[in-house]
């Protein structure tokens, strides 16, 4: 029965159903996830772009881009952002007042290149709006060496989900933090590293950390929390499906569905 239930839930999500949602008091926000997939047997790499279309984070718009094989940076983000903003306006009759972007799949050595190329492209798209929204751009990294432990009396244990570390072991030059998004049954839990490259907003850093943790709860393929914000995982799944199986852009009629789950 549990297997059948999960299959039906996945079918429902693919067809546009809203399985569950999160409560974020902030309204008029678009959350964007970006990731890249490299297929060793293909001459091209594919970038996945997924943007939320409502405050409950249950509706999404997706688009794919193509670049040279093994190229991590995406050159067409201005076009993707333009189309997502127009779709958001079509559904909400207003443009978002804040845009949160979570970029997955780039290492620390590429942060400057991401800032100069991808962040600049997105800023050009936002500058076209009647009123420029506040912008937060975050690079999400899963493959890290850092581990954290909670000291309780004379023993060590894994920190609880939602634990944030933003002092001592973080960079002095950058705004970054570590977030423990989930619990594990055995072994040591691996935190996720967030590097904030743009923080043009009036919200507090604590709010960004809370939002990042909340977004780990709304990936419709898993009933618990995942290691990255859901928009990142959706972008990864989209890029993987298109790059590994379709090898061409999906139909525009599917752009508002989570068909890639």
């Amino acid at each position: 029965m549990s297997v059948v239930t999960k299959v039906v839930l996945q079918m429902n999500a693919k067809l546009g159903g809203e399985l569950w949602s999160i409560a974020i008091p902030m309204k008029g926000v678009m959350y964007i996830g970006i990731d890249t997939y490299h297929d060793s047997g293909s001459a091209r790499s594919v970038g996945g772009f997924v943007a939320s279309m409502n405050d409950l984070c249950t509706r999404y718009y997706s688009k794919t881009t193509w670049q040279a094989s093994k190229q991590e940076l995406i050159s067409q983000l201005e076009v993707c952002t333009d189309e997502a903003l127009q779709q958001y306006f079509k559904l909400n009759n207003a443009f978002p007042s804040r845009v949160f972007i979570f970029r997955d799949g780039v290492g620390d050595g590429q942060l400057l290149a991401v800032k100069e190329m991808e962040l600049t492209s997105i800023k050009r798209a936002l500058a076209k709006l009647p009123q420029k929204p506040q912008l937060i751009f975050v690079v999400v990294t899963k493959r890290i060496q850092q581990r954290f432990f909670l000291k309780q009396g004379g023993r060590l244990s894994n920190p609880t989900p939602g634990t944030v570390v933003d002092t001592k072991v973080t960079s002095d030059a950058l705004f970054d933090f570590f977030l423990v998004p989930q619990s594990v049954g055995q072994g040591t839990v691996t935190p996720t590293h967030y590097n904030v490259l743009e923080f043009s907003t009036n919200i507090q850093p604590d709010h960004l950390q809370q939002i990042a943790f909340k977004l780990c709860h709304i990936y419709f393929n898993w009933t618990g929390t995942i290691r990255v914000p859901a928009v990142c995982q959706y972008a990864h799944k989209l890029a993987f499906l298109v790059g590994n199986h379709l090898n061409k852009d999906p139909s525009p009629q599917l752009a508002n569905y989570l068909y890639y789950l």
Side-chain angles (χ1 to χ4, degrees):
M1 188 63 190
S2 63
V3 175
V4 174
T5 301
K6 289 179 180 178
V7 171
V8 173
L9 286 174
Q10 190 179 53
M11 291 170 60
N12 189 7
K14 286 174 181 281
L15 294 170
E18 301 178 6
L19 305 188
W20 58 81
S21 64
I22 52 173
I24 299 180
M26 203 180 300
K27 304 301 180 185
V29 183
M30 176 189 283
Y31 302 97
I32 297 175
I34 304 170
D35 200 2
T36 310
Y37 174 74
H38 308 289
D39 187 358
S40 57
S42 174
R44 298 186 298 172
S45 293
V46 60
F49 180 98
V50 175
S52 66
M53 292 287 112
N54 61 356
D55 292 329
L56 295 176
C57 295
T58 55
R59 297 283 180 177
Y60 297 91
Y61 171 84
S62 62
K63 186 173 176 63
T64 53
T65 68
W66 297 89
Q67 57 262 14
S69 180
K70 306 304 179 186
Q71 179 182 324
E72 188 65 52
L73 301 182
I74 301 174
S75 58
Q76 303 171 45
L77 283 182
E78 182 178 352
V79 176
C80 295
T81 308
D82 273 337
E83 294 187 11
L85 289 169
Q86 294 304 321
Q87 184 67 19
Y88 188 95
F89 183 85
K90 181 179 177 181
L91 295 175
N92 299 278
N93 202 31
F95 289 109
S97 57
R98 293 185 179 93
V99 177
F100 287 65
I101 301 171
F102 295 93
R103 174 64 160 103
D104 200 358
V106 296
D108 290 346
Q110 296 176 297
L111 292 180
L112 182 59
V114 168
K115 190 171 185 176
E116 291 179 349
M117 182 175 172
E118 296 187 347
L119 181 54
T120 302
S121 297
I122 291 170
K123 283 183 174 180
R124 284 199 301 266
L126 297 180
K128 301 174 186 176
L129 299 183
Q131 185 173 355
K132 188 177 178 181
Q134 299 176 22
L135 175 62
I136 298 94
F137 189 101
V138 186
V139 172
V140 184
T141 310
K142 300 187 294 292
R143 297 184 182 93
I144 60 174
Q145 302 300 320
Q146 290 86 347
R147 300 293 185 271
F148 302 107
F149 300 92
L150 176 64
K151 189 174 183 180
Q152 294 178 312
R155 58 189 295 271
L156 298 175
S157 62
N158 282 320
T160 56
T163 299
V164 171
V165 179
D166 57 5
T167 58
K168 304 296 184 183
V169 294
T170 52
S171 171
D172 293 330
L174 297 171
F175 169 21
D176 66 326
F177 61 92
F178 296 90
L179 171 65
V180 177
Q182 55 191 172
S183 59
V184 294
Q186 59 183 5
T188 305
V189 67
T190 303
T192 303
H193 190 203
Y194 292 79
N195 269 301
V196 184
L197 301 186
E198 181 76 21
F199 198 66
S200 303
T201 178
N202 56 6
I203 69 170
Q204 299 299 315
D206 289 355
H207 297 153
L208 171 60
Q209 294 162 355
Q210 293 173 29
I211 288 171
F213 180 53
K214 284 191 173 186
L215 291 177
C216 294
H217 289 74
I218 51 169
Y219 179 58
F220 288 159
N221 246 3
W222 184 252
T223 52
T225 55
I226 58 174
R227 288 190 59 194
V228 295
V231 283
C232 284
Q233 188 65 14
Y234 287 137
H236 170 75
K237 292 285 285 187
L238 170 65
F240 176 80
L241 174 69
V242 174
N244 203 38
H245 300 290
L246 298 181
N247 296 312
K248 64 178 182 178
D249 285 326
S251 169
Q253 295 178 333
L254 296 173
N256 292 309
Y257 295 95
L258 295 171
Y259 62 91
Y260 38 85
L261 282 186

